[in-house]
Amino acid sequence: MGSRASSLLREEDIDEIKKETGFSHSQITRLYSRFHSLDKGENGALSREDFQRIPELAINPLGDRIINAFFPEGEDQVNFRGFMRTLAHFRPVEDNEKNKDMISGEPLNSRTNKLHFAFQLYDLDRDDKISRDELLQVLRMMVGVNISDEQLGSIADRTIQEADTNGDMCISFSEFTKVLEKVDVEQKMSIRFLH
Amino acid sequence: MEGAWEIAFVFFQVWLSVIVGLIMLPAMFGVSLGFTDIYIKVLVKILEWATLRIQRGQKEQPTLPSQSANGIIEKDDGSMEEEIGELRRSHPKNLAGGDFTLCDAFYFCKKGIENIVEDQVTQRFTSEELASWNLLTRTNNNFCYISLRLTIIWGLGVFIRYCILLPLRITLAVIGLSWLVIGTTLVGLLPSSNVKNWLSDLVHITCYRICARGLSATIHYHNKENRPKKGGICVANHTSPIDIVILANDGCYAMVGQVHGGLMGVIQRSIVRSCPHVWFERSEMKDRHAVAKRLKDHIADKNKLPILIFPEGTCINNTSVMMFKKGSFEIGGTIYPVAIKYDPQFGDAFWNSAKYNMVSYLLRMMTSWAIVCNVWYLPPMTRQDGEDAVQFANRVKSAIAHQGGLVDLSWDGGLKREKVKESLKEEQQKMYSSMIVGSDFFEASVGPA
């Protein structure tokens, strides 16, 4: 029903999440309803299967990588705080004007953090470098069986060549940022949340 | 002691005669005494008052979240090519002929997160959220105490629904179903003739009318000139088992379905005695050719009633129409589409079979305010030349969705229980691949398989 869900969320929790993520009160309660409706096991946490049950996400070529981004290293469950923390990356940037008193450090939805989120889609082993193998793996996920290994290999090589400035045949986060500096990250990695 | 039993007996007699006189007899003749209309009008006034009260209460306490049924996010509806094209426009590399860029992943990432927050499919398998509360606890999102008056009205509502309406409705349902079983068995004893058919229709319609009264159902039929005729197939969107009662109140249909045990089985066996319905054993259902053959034979006989089929195959929550299974559209014959739209203000008709079994579902139905719905009969359709069953099914589905004001989805209702097919993901991958290598190069490199 998505109904009584909000009564399980305490006001203190909502305030903390508000400070950490910048979402408004009503947005947090609506997202909690959504979290609750995805949580089929009703244990206050989502597993990977809960995400896989969304058909449009299951057919997304990068679906598994996106789902992975919600789960901290080595864990199989994500609670509502973690869910909101990940979603906060996709808040539009201009909304920050309303929340000047954020916790110190950059807000979760800054341009840098958005780029970092995307970077981690490629960086499978989280060593802060995109190696040729990692790039190939992600490319293979996106194209399926439609492109040959050799072709994919040359695409990967070309991409690394263009981005790599320090010659280590890997793409570091700063090189990643440099290549994409003209891309409108703020708009392309943001979702317009209502009210 | 004796006195108490006598009083109870008299009370029972009065109760029965009220029911027979005021409800059953009019039902048999299709006459409405107008009680339900007055009831609905009063209800509407009360619910409007309640809505205003709640809105006023929300303004006074701004921490109360306002309900909006408009969704959580606003989505971009661009295609893959458009969106990725925009992403690449700002890239310094010259990308004539297609190529890969690191920012391509942004498109999939954003789409994925959007779908996690709000998707088109999973919301169809739970009840629709109401824009404003209708004084039923079950539709209560964010229940907060608003005012004493509202709580009193709600309490009164609970009393009326559970202590007055529920016993009345259960009595009617019992009478309706028993009359159905007894009546059809009696009619079944007659030899085949026009009289038998006429009597069978009368018995069926009377019973469904009594059952409809048993749900306080108010049904508005539109475009009755398009009503399904004999030898045709009636096709409708599916929200609950009550759809059958709704449609059968205005016409006689041949039902199609699996043989059940228990009470359902008893009903099935008796109604098939008075006129031909199509019941399948579980094992027969798997053989698509056998199923198609039986249906074809049925519609070939112009004396038999039109078949009623729900091509979605499962109950959907009445906000959308999901994929129509092509089986019913391969048989041939004329299709009579029907759109059914329930008004959720008065009672939620959707059967969430994962959450409620049949009995709890019926109890919920009988303790709602009422069932109010609109039924539109659409002009008959037949398969055109050059159109295959799937395209025909989609055409019918669009017509029904358009008429009922429902969202037209191509997703399979079976996703309620099953996983999505891998082939859909492969389509996405193929589309993206053609963007990387350029479509002409892509065809050349893949070659004939």
Side-chain angles (χ1 to χ4, degrees):
Chain A
M1 268 197 292
S3 53
R4 279 181 190 50
S6 46
S7 55
L8 298 173
L9 192 63
R10 300 171 307 174
E11 280 302 314
E12 311 93 72
D13 292 329
I14 298 184
D15 283 329
E16 277 178 38
I17 296 176
K18 210 166 165 178
K19 277 207 208 82
E20 190 181 358
T21 62
F23 282 114
S24 74
H25 193 282
S26 57
Q27 285 168 345
I28 295 174
T29 43
R30 294 229 62 185
L31 288 168
Y32 187 74
S33 278
R34 173 63 172 173
F35 177 85
H36 189 77
S37 70
L38 290 174
D39 179 16
K40 288 285 188 285
E42 304 225 341
N43 56 353
L46 296 178
S47 65
R48 286 188 171 80
E49 288 77 41
D50 288 323
F51 285 100
Q52 287 284 357
R53 234 176 263 120
I54 304 172
E56 285 147 296
L57 184 63
I59 67 168
N60 188 320
L62 289 183
D64 287 332
R65 299 297 312 147
I66 298 168
I67 294 173
N68 229 35
F70 281 86
F71 293 86
E73 199 69 46
E75 290 192 22
D76 287 330
Q77 302 271 316
V78 55
N79 60 14
F80 184 58
R81 292 290 288 270
F83 183 70
M84 292 302 281
R85 212 173 287 133
T86 314
L87 286 182
H89 288 95
F90 290 84
R91 268 186 60 237
V93 178
E94 56 274 8
D95 280 7
N96 278 341
E97 298 309 313
K98 301 185 203 135
N99 292 301
K100 287 281 194 235
D101 60 336
M102 299 278 263
I103 304 178
S104 62
E106 267 184 46
L108 284 165
N109 64 336
S110 68
R111 186 195 160 87
T112 314
N113 279 325
K114 286 182 196 286
L115 278 168
H116 196 254
F117 190 90
F119 183 79
Q120 292 203 307
L121 290 180
Y122 289 101
D123 181 17
L124 302 168
D125 61 4
R126 308 227 170 148
D127 65 351
D128 284 329
K129 288 201 295 278
I130 305 177
S131 67
R132 183 178 187 270
D133 276 336
E134 286 172 339
L135 186 55
L136 268 176
Q137 268 191 36
V138 177
L139 275 169
R140 184 51 75 193
M141 287 175 95
M142 290 201 273
V143 306
V145 299
N146 298 295
I147 298 184
S148 67
D149 281 332
E150 301 85 53
Q151 231 180 331
L152 218 58
S154 61
I155 291 175
D157 288 328
R158 206 168 39 232
T159 312
I160 294 185
Q161 209 176 33
E162 278 157 9
D164 189 17
T165 49
N166 67 352
D168 64 351
M169 303 306 273
C170 287
I171 305 178
S172 69
F173 182 55
S174 52
E175 289 163 351
F176 186 78
T177 315
K178 189 84 181 38
V179 169
L180 299 176
E181 68 185 344
K182 295 232 179 57
V183 175
D184 185 4
V185 177
E186 287 85 343
Q187 207 246 325
K188 290 301 173 185
M189 289 282 277
S190 292
I191 298 179
R192 291 194 294 278
F193 288 90
L194 296 175
H195 47 244
Chain B
M1 269 309 282
E2 299 266 312
W5 281 117
E6 274 180 26
I7 295 175
F9 190 59
V10 168
F11 183 67
F12 188 62
Q13 274 184 321
V14 169
W15 174 257
L16 265 184
S17 29
V18 160
I19 290 190
V20 170
L22 290 181
I23 299 179
M24 269 188 68
L25 284 177
M28 284 170 74
F29 297 106
V31 165
S32 169
L33 289 176
F35 288 133
T36 321
D37 289 332
I38 301 175
Y39 172 60
I40 297 281
K41 284 201 182 75
V42 170
L43 252 187
V44 167
K45 287 262 169 348
I46 295 181
L47 290 177
E48 275 172 10
W49 173 84
T51 310
L52 286 171
R53 228 21 220 93
I54 294 175
Q55 281 172 350
R56 233 189 316 152
Q58 276 169 351
K59 284 204 199 80
E60 286 158 15
Q61 302 167 47
T63 53
L64 284 181
S66 57
Q67 273 315 106
S68 166
N70 291 335
I72 312 179
I73 56 181
E74 209 183 301
K75 289 191 188 171
D76 290 319
D77 275 328
S79 68
M80 194 193 281
E81 283 96 10
E82 285 166 17
E83 295 287 323
I84 298 193
E86 267 184 49
L87 267 170
R88 290 174 172 178
R89 210 168 294 146
S90 45
H91 201 274
K93 199 160 60 169
N94 177 16
L95 296 168
D99 204 344
F100 169 73
T101 58
L102 287 166
C103 57
D104 287 354
F106 290 9
Y107 167 75
F108 293 111
C109 186
K110 181 173 172 178
K111 271 272 168 300
I113 299 286
E114 277 179 349
N115 288 324
I116 289 176
V117 174
E118 191 175 65
D119 76 297
Q120 280 291 19
V121 183
T122 57
Q123 55 167 296
R124 311 294 170 192
F125 303 134
T126 52
S127 302
E128 185 184 357
E129 264 189 52
L130 289 177
S132 65
W133 190 36
N134 65 348
L135 296 177
L136 296 176
T137 320
R138 65 192 67 153
T139 50
N140 205 341
N141 297 339
N142 315 314
F143 175 60
C144 308
Y145 179 79
I146 305 265
S147 82
L148 183 62
R149 243 184 295 177
L150 202 62
T151 314
I152 291 180
I153 299 263
W154 170 76
L156 207 60
V158 170
F159 174 72
I160 294 178
R161 283 184 293 118
Y162 281 82
C163 303
I164 300 182
L165 292 179
L166 181 62
L168 176 65
R169 288 171 179 169
I170 292 184
T171 317
L172 284 172
V174 168
I175 294 179
L177 288 176
S178 350
W179 177 231
L180 184 67
V181 172
I182 297 172
T184 48
T185 313
L186 287 175
V187 171
L189 295 171
L190 296 172
S192 285
S193 62
N194 282 339
V195 176
K196 178 179 182 183
N197 291 338
W198 179 79
L199 272 177
S200 161
D201 286 355
L202 183 66
V203 169
H204 274 103
I205 277 206
T206 314
C207 298
Y208 285 122
R209 284 205 181 119
I210 297 175
C211 288
R213 298 264 200 278
L215 293 166
S216 297
T218 304
I219 313 168
H220 298 119
Y221 296 99
H222 306 266
N223 308 331
K224 286 198 188 187
E225 65 273 10
N226 293 324
R227 209 184 300 179
K229 300 192 178 42
K230 293 190 179 175
I233 303 177
C234 175
V235 151
N237 57 317
H238 201 27
T239 307
S240 99
I242 292 181
D243 291 341
I244 300 175
V245 172
I246 302 284
L247 288 178
N249 255 267
D250 191 47
C252 294
Y253 299 93
M255 311 287 168
V256 176
Q258 250 183 41
V259 170
H260 284 96
L263 181 62
M264 266 313 282
V266 171
I267 299 176
Q268 281 179 325
R269 281 192 295 276
S270 52
I271 65 176
V272 82
R273 284 194 197 111
S274 66
C275 73
H277 297 277
V278 187
W279 302 126
F280 291 105
E281 300 289 335
R282 214 188 182 95
S283 46
E284 280 179 279
M285 294 286 296
K286 305 227 172 78
D287 183 353
R288 288 187 43 193
H289 291 292
V291 169
K293 177 148 194 334
R294 271 185 75 176
L295 294 175
K296 262 200 203 110
D297 291 340
H298 185 106
I299 60 174
D301 184 349
K302 295 298 174 207
N303 284 324
K304 292 193 178 165
L305 299 167
I307 302 180
L308 179 58
I309 290 188
F310 298 104
E312 280 165 314
T314 187
C315 294
I316 311 293
N317 76 347
N318 209 232
T319 56
S320 70
V321 184
M322 298 186 93
M323 185 179 93
F324 275 4
K325 303 220 178 341
K326 63 181 178 173
S328 341
F329 300 88
E330 289 173 322
I331 303 172
T334 320
I335 302 277
Y336 295 89
V338 177
I340 308 175
K341 180 82 178 96
Y342 291 89
D343 187 345
Q345 269 296 90
F346 300 100
D348 172 36
F350 169 59
W351 182 31
N352 190 344
S353 47
K355 228 172 163 177
Y356 306 107
N357 60 18
M358 179 64 100
V359 176
S360 2
Y361 168 70
L362 285 174
L363 278 175
R364 282 167 64 89
M365 282 297 98
M366 292 188 193
T367 53
S368 308
W369 292 119
I371 304 288
V372 176
C373 63
N374 283 297
V375 175
W376 288 273
Y377 293 110
L378 290 143
M381 293 178 161
T382 43
R383 179 142 65 119
Q384 288 167 353
D385 294 325
E387 198 181 37
D388 70 4
V390 174
Q391 289 164 333
F392 181 37
N394 286 334
R395 191 159 61 92
V396 175
K397 173 163 65 84
S398 296
I400 292 181
H402 185 73
Q403 179 64 273
L406 305 164
V407 176
D408 185 2
L409 295 176
S410 330
W411 293 96
D412 186 354
L415 289 170
K416 205 194 239 182
R417 295 191 186 90
E418 290 152 13
K419 286 209 160 134
V420 68
K421 286 194 290 210
E422 270 298 300
S423 56
L424 292 172
K425 187 179 200 173
E426 285 157 17
E427 270 174 41
Q428 294 277 307
Q429 288 168 329
K430 195 161 177 190
M431 222 190 310
Y432 178 65
S433 306
S434 65
M435 291 190 70
I436 297 194
V437 292
S439 24
D440 33 84
F441 188 81
F442 171 56
E443 273 159 36
S445 64
V446 171

